[in-house]
Amino acid sequence: MSGMNWRERIVVNPAICHGKACIKGTRIMVSVLLDNLAANLGTEEILASYPSLRREDVHAAIAYAAELAREQWDKRFDIAGRGSFSHSVLTSHGARGLRNLMGAGLRMG
């Protein structure tokens, strides 16, 4: 999946599904595919339920979600070395989590 270019298969258009990410040429939202995968449905089951989809569409949805997850992390953590964390990270991980992070050479900003 590392070679997957999800941009070829996923579109975001304000006129389609209220601007939610969809599989190109359909009104099938990426979130629906991810919900199905999270519910432990296999790719074959998903493809049977949505005949207009191809296996590559399911892989593109996963690649899209992975990129969004990386983007969210990058917004909270500056990987260039400044290592700043927001207050929300501190409060959600508590003191023990903070000690673990600081032990890894990170500092609060």
Side-chain angles (χ1 to χ4, degrees), residues 23-86:
I23 301 302
K24 188 182 282 187
T26 75
R27 292 183 176 271
I28 302 169
M29 293 182 290
V30 170
S31 62
V32 170
L33 297 180
L34 296 173
D35 286 341
N36 279 292
L37 290 166
N40 212 22
L41 268 68
T43 300
E44 296 304 322
E45 291 174 281
I46 294 170
L47 294 175
S49 296
Y50 300 95
S52 62
L53 290 181
R54 297 180 51 196
R55 181 175 307 281
E56 294 83 6
D57 296 325
V58 177
H59 292 174
I62 296 167
Y64 175 79
E67 186 161 320
L68 287 180
R70 281 190 297 276
E71 181 179 303
Q72 290 300 316
W73 175 252
D74 290 346
K75 285 181 181 178
R76 288 189 169 177
F77 177 62
D78 176 13
I79 59 176
R82 290 185 284 278
S84 60
F85 277 79
S86 68

Side-chain angles (χ1 to χ4, degrees), residues 6-7 9-24 30 64:
W6 60 262
R7 288 172 184 84
R9 306 196 79 81
I10 295 177
V11 295
V12 177
N13 181 337
I16 300 171
C17 294
H18 305 285
K20 303 287 185 187
C22 292
I23 301 302
K24 188 182 282 187
V30 170
Y64 175 79

